[in-house]
Amino acid sequence: MRVNDKNYRTVWMQENTVFLINQNLLPFRFELFESSDWETSCMVIQTMIVRGAGAIGATAGFAMAQAALQAPEADYINYLLEAKTAIEATRPTAQNLFAATARVHAKALISRDEAVNEAQQIAQEDLDACMTIGKLGNTLIPDQARIETHCNAGWLAFVDHGSALSPIYEAAKQGKKPFVLVDETRPRSQGARLTAWELFNEHIQHRIIADNAGAHYMSHGMVDLMIVGADRIAANGDVANKIGTLEKAIVAKEYGIPFYVAAPSMTIDWLCATGVDIPIEERSEEEVLFQTGINKSGELTTIQVASPESEAWNPAFDVTPAHLIHAIITEKGIFKPSELNRMQ
Amino acid sequence: MRVNDKNYRTVWMQENTVFLINQNLLPFRFELFESSDWETSCMVIQTMIVRGAGAIGATAGFAMAQAALQAPEADYINYLLEAKTAIEATRPTAQNLFAATARVHAKALISRDEAVNEAQQIAQEDLDACMTIGKLGNTLIPDQARIETHCNAGWLAFVDHGSALSPIYEAAKQGKKPFVLVDETRPRSQGARLTAWELFNEHIQHRIIADNAGAHYMSHGMVDLMIVGADRIAANGDVANKIGTLEKAIVAKEYGIPFYVAAPSMTIDWLCATGVDIPIEERSEEEVLFQTGINKSGELTTIQVASPESEAWNPAFDVTPAHLIHAIITEKGIFKPSELNRMQ
């Protein structure tokens, strides 16, 4: 990830410290956050200093490794288990989180060093998978394609490269000149804030649109394909992703527009038979009723944007059924959702 | 419309002054705006101090009457025509605007008094039509229905009562206890700001949801029906309404949820054969990139909510094809979109 001409990962670990790009401050400020213990790393996931399936997974793996480093010799096994439970309680939907804690926890039972190595390995695998997804996904993108995407499944959602945006970055490298319609993605506006910022940094043409405008552009033949990420994929190919994904998939079907999901295979939860089994996180209503940005003096400011006496509902994800998805792009190949099990 | 236990219309004219509720300040401040000439009334429409199909229509009618009162004897006919052109240039989509200016202009050619009477008559007809729409639309609402609505087609969008909300107000009066899912309606958030504020004032249970969450609730059987307003209806039953309406109609069809449009018959543009002929207003990208609300000190504040280097597209309306609409509720009866012409 290039920021100010320097290469960054979104999250990395050196000795016992986890370093992260503070995504709550983007795109207005670029700041690193340092977490020197697993409890702080939990807070980092919970408060969305880090967000996005892969980046959450890597952070959770590092947090589990930090727990191994912190665990007192006398109470090592109990301490690890308590830490694992706490890390897994930070956010309920992203499969990568549970896969990472399970893997690092298993290695931690062997040794602290093995735990740290496994966490580093998970981050590296995430990065490699995203790069391969870019190369495979690029084959689905025609020259000068107009691509709609929802939320942020870019660099910032992973350790690097991204899932949904990785094929677009690859297409741009190949000179295909993709154009991206960026769904704002209320309530947290990861599209308007993070995806747009990434695309600007990569010099890729794009426009931000209100989530409401997707069907309008699709109905006018201005969207050639749609690519989104995934927070968890059930064995039958149902996909949990950012709230609003389901809506876009239904509209894309109405207009015969290919709808692709891009995600590392780690996102698949083989124990989830269908999307009904995926828990959906309900987040604070304040995310809908208030909004943060910068005021004219450049200060980060939170304002109330809704009627003060009213309450809100705020589901963070929805489930898109497999039949609405054209294909799932993974590092192991491109699969029809109904044929995901051929990967195993 | 009850505000602080006093009854208001959203717009009215006394002598040569037009009085309006300043909707740009709602729900944070309730203030009246006075316009004493037609030029100011044009500005009022353009800057959305008044918005909503019926309220725009009434204001445009009053503006045309103001022009008749202001027109110099020597240049009466030319002056009127220039004013009419300017009023019609304020916003391109709402049919009510063009219907109102045409009617008042025709009467102004007879006399100033006739122009003023016609403008008052248009406002009264809007109010009466909305009340009848409430009574007719109420017959479509079951007990304890969970109703989703988009944007604001309530009191504030008309002279009083509203179109989409009028049946809900009537159902509440009948003790049916409706529950309303209020689409936030980005980018201007008329749902979160205006519809929620109205429902609170009328003591009707509701929750604000991000526009992205509609499909999620529909897929979980939590929406019994959807009612929206209309800015212009083509002769074949295609409906132009707030951006995002098309998306909801497609999703409602996917889940077999009745999708109703409520609008006074004045909203129908018989000269528009289909929705393709309806001009769609593109508004400033700043509506997407910035947002206004109140800060912790209660001051109205505008903040930037998107990546500062990115641009946005901002279509204000979209067109929902007739085949996605269950029925259109007008003061002349409830019609299938394909049978609208039975009204003529």
Side-chain angles (χ1 to χ4, degrees):
Chain A
M1 176 187 321
R2 268 182 298 176
V3 184
N4 305 328
D5 291 324
K6 209 179 143 184
N7 273 320
Y8 288 92
R9 293 183 176 192
T10 52
V11 50
W12 68 98
M13 187 169 168
Q14 271 173 354
E15 305 194 352
N16 54 4
T17 302
V18 179
F19 296 83
L20 308 105
I21 295 172
N22 187 338
Q23 301 199 29
N24 280 331
L25 302 180
L26 285 178
F28 309 113
R29 286 190 214 151
F30 180 79
E31 274 181 26
L32 297 182
F33 187 94
E34 297 182 20
S35 163
S36 54
D37 53 66
W38 71 265
E39 294 92 338
T40 304
S41 297
C42 281
M43 178 279 288
V44 153
I45 298 173
Q46 218 150 22
T47 59
M48 295 179 74
I49 287 173
V50 70
R51 33 63 55 198
I56 288 174
T59 308
F62 289 139
M64 198 68 235
Q66 286 177 312
L69 296 172
Q70 290 170 243
E73 205 64 62
D75 193 32
Y76 190 75
I77 294 199
N78 272 336
Y79 188 96
L80 279 186
L81 209 58
E82 277 171 29
K84 180 168 181 278
T85 306
I87 297 167
E88 290 177 347
T90 52
R91 295 198 63 194
T93 306
Q95 169 60 10
N96 312 51
L97 190 158
F98 302 96
T101 48
R103 280 177 57 178
V104 180
H105 178 255
K107 295 290 184 179
L109 294 177
I110 304 171
S111 79
R112 292 186 170 97
D113 278 357
E114 293 251 9
V116 172
N117 288 344
E118 186 73 1
Q120 295 288 8
Q121 176 65 22
I122 287 170
Q124 186 62 42
E125 283 173 20
D126 180 82
L127 188 154
D128 294 340
C130 285
M131 212 182 330
T132 306
I133 285 169
K135 289 188 175 138
L136 292 174
N138 168 48
T139 63
L140 300 169
I141 299 181
D143 263 10
Q144 304 195 304
R146 294 155 305 173
I147 306 165
E148 185 170 347
T149 189
H150 193 68
C151 197
N152 174 266
W155 319 319
L156 289 165
F158 291 86
V159 175
D160 205 346
H161 304 293
S163 57
L165 295 190
S166 189
I168 296 172
Y169 293 141
E170 184 63 25
K173 266 191 219 146
Q174 311 272 333
K176 287 183 180 175
K177 302 196 171 152
F179 179 92
V180 185
L181 290 94
V182 180
D183 288 355
E184 172 181 43
T185 319
R186 284 279 293 150
R188 291 184 67 94
S189 303
Q190 294 95 334
R193 289 162 184 262
L194 305 180
T195 297
W197 184 74
E198 286 194 19
L199 294 171
F200 166 75
N201 281 323
E202 291 287 337
H203 309 291
I204 291 174
Q205 283 286 313
H206 63 282
R207 289 291 183 287
I208 300 167
I209 58 172
D211 302 304
N212 281 322
H216 174 72
Y217 290 114
M218 290 194 202
S219 75
H220 281 75
M222 289 174 69
V223 178
D224 299 308
L225 65 146
M226 186 146 187
I227 315 181
V228 301
D231 288 81
R232 194 185 300 207
I233 302 176
N236 74 336
D238 291 350
V239 168
N241 191 47
K242 180 58 52 201
I243 192 77
T245 302
L246 169 61
E247 192 140 333
K248 296 302 169 205
I250 293 168
V251 175
K253 189 189 80 171
E254 177 80 9
Y255 294 107
I257 294 166
F259 187 91
Y260 299 113
V261 170
S265 59
M266 193 188 191
T267 316
I268 304 166
D269 183 355
W270 297 108
L271 300 177
C272 254
T274 75
V276 175
D277 306 322
I278 302 177
I280 296 297
E281 178 181 10
E282 177 80 22
R283 293 185 60 84
S284 160
E285 66 170 358
E286 303 214 337
E287 293 185 350
V288 177
L289 304 175
F290 292 81
Q291 199 159 359
T292 299
I294 51 171
N295 67 14
K296 275 162 196 160
S297 319
E299 296 152 344
L300 268 178
T301 308
T302 297
I303 58 171
Q304 189 163 19
V305 293
S307 191
E309 312 283 355
S310 295
E311 294 171 42
W313 281 338
N314 183 23
F317 303 96
D318 57 27
V319 174
T320 301
H323 72 90
L324 294 174
I325 299 164
H326 225 75
I328 299 179
I329 308 164
T330 77
E331 80 284 7
K332 296 187 177 172
I334 299 172
F335 296 87
K336 284 194 180 167
S338 58
E339 294 174 355
L340 261 192
N341 53 10
R342 291 173 54 187
M343 181 191 300
Q344 276 190 302
Chain B
M1 174 187 323
R2 268 180 299 173
V3 184
N4 305 328
D5 292 324
K6 210 179 144 184
N7 273 318
Y8 287 93
R9 292 183 176 192
T10 53
V11 50
W12 68 97
M13 186 168 169
Q14 271 173 354
E15 303 193 354
N16 54 5
T17 302
V18 180
F19 296 82
L20 307 104
I21 295 172
N22 186 338
Q23 301 199 28
N24 281 330
L25 302 180
L26 286 180
F28 309 113
R29 284 189 216 151
F30 181 79
E31 274 181 25
L32 297 182
F33 187 93
E34 298 183 20
S35 163
S36 54
D37 53 66
W38 70 266
E39 294 92 338
T40 305
S41 297
C42 282
M43 179 279 288
V44 153
I45 297 173
Q46 217 149 22
T47 58
M48 296 179 73
I49 287 173
V50 71
R51 33 63 57 199
I56 288 174
T59 308
F62 288 140
M64 198 67 236
Q66 285 177 312
L69 295 172
Q70 290 169 243
E73 206 64 62
D75 192 33
Y76 189 75
I77 293 197
N78 273 335
Y79 188 96
L80 279 186
L81 210 57
E82 277 171 32
K84 179 168 181 280
T85 306
I87 297 166
E88 289 177 348
T90 51
R91 295 199 63 195
T93 305
Q95 169 60 11
N96 311 52
L97 189 158
F98 302 95
T101 48
R103 280 178 58 178
V104 179
H105 179 254
K107 295 289 184 177
L109 294 177
I110 304 171
S111 78
R112 294 187 169 96
D113 278 358
E114 293 250 9
V116 172
N117 288 344
E118 187 72 2
Q120 295 286 9
Q121 177 64 22
I122 287 169
Q124 186 62 43
E125 285 173 19
D126 180 82
L127 188 154
D128 294 340
C130 285
M131 211 185 327
T132 307
I133 285 169
K135 289 188 175 139
L136 292 174
N138 168 49
T139 63
L140 301 169
I141 299 180
D143 263 10
Q144 303 195 304
R146 293 154 307 174
I147 305 165
E148 186 170 347
T149 189
H150 193 69
C151 197
N152 174 266
W155 318 321
L156 289 165
F158 292 86
V159 175
D160 205 344
H161 305 292
S163 58
L165 295 190
S166 189
I168 297 172
Y169 293 141
E170 184 64 26
K173 265 189 221 149
Q174 312 270 331
K176 288 183 180 175
K177 300 195 171 149
F179 179 92
V180 185
L181 289 94
V182 180
D183 287 355
E184 173 181 45
T185 319
R186 284 280 293 151
R188 291 185 67 92
S189 304
Q190 294 95 334
R193 289 162 184 262
L194 306 180
T195 297
W197 184 75
E198 285 194 21
L199 293 172
F200 166 75
N201 281 324
E202 290 286 339
H203 309 291
I204 291 173
Q205 284 286 314
H206 63 283
R207 289 292 183 285
I208 299 167
I209 58 172
D211 302 304
N212 281 322
H216 175 72
Y217 290 114
M218 289 195 202
S219 74
H220 281 74
M222 289 174 69
V223 178
D224 299 308
L225 65 144
M226 184 144 188
I227 314 181
V228 301
D231 288 82
R232 195 186 299 208
I233 302 175
N236 74 336
D238 292 350
V239 168
N241 191 47
K242 180 58 52 200
I243 192 76
T245 302
L246 170 59
E247 192 139 336
K248 296 301 169 206
I250 293 168
V251 175
K253 189 189 80 172
E254 176 78 10
Y255 295 107
I257 294 165
F259 187 91
Y260 299 113
V261 170
S265 59
M266 193 188 190
T267 316
I268 304 167
D269 182 356
W270 297 107
L271 300 177
C272 255
T274 75
V276 175
D277 306 321
I278 302 177
I280 297 297
E281 178 180 10
E282 177 79 21
R283 293 185 59 84
S284 160
E285 64 170 358
E286 303 215 336
E287 293 185 350
V288 177
L289 304 175
F290 292 81
Q291 200 160 359
T292 299
I294 51 171
N295 66 14
K296 275 161 195 159
S297 320
E299 295 153 344
L300 267 179
T301 309
T302 297
I303 59 172
Q304 191 164 16
V305 293
S307 191
E309 312 284 355
S310 295
E311 293 171 44
W313 281 338
N314 183 23
F317 303 95
D318 57 27
V319 174
T320 301
H323 72 90
L324 295 174
I325 299 164
H326 224 75
I328 299 178
I329 309 163
T330 77
E331 81 284 8
K332 295 185 177 172
I334 299 172
F335 296 87
K336 285 193 179 168
S338 57
E339 294 174 355
L340 261 192
N341 53 10
R342 290 174 54 187
M343 182 191 300
Q344 276 190 303

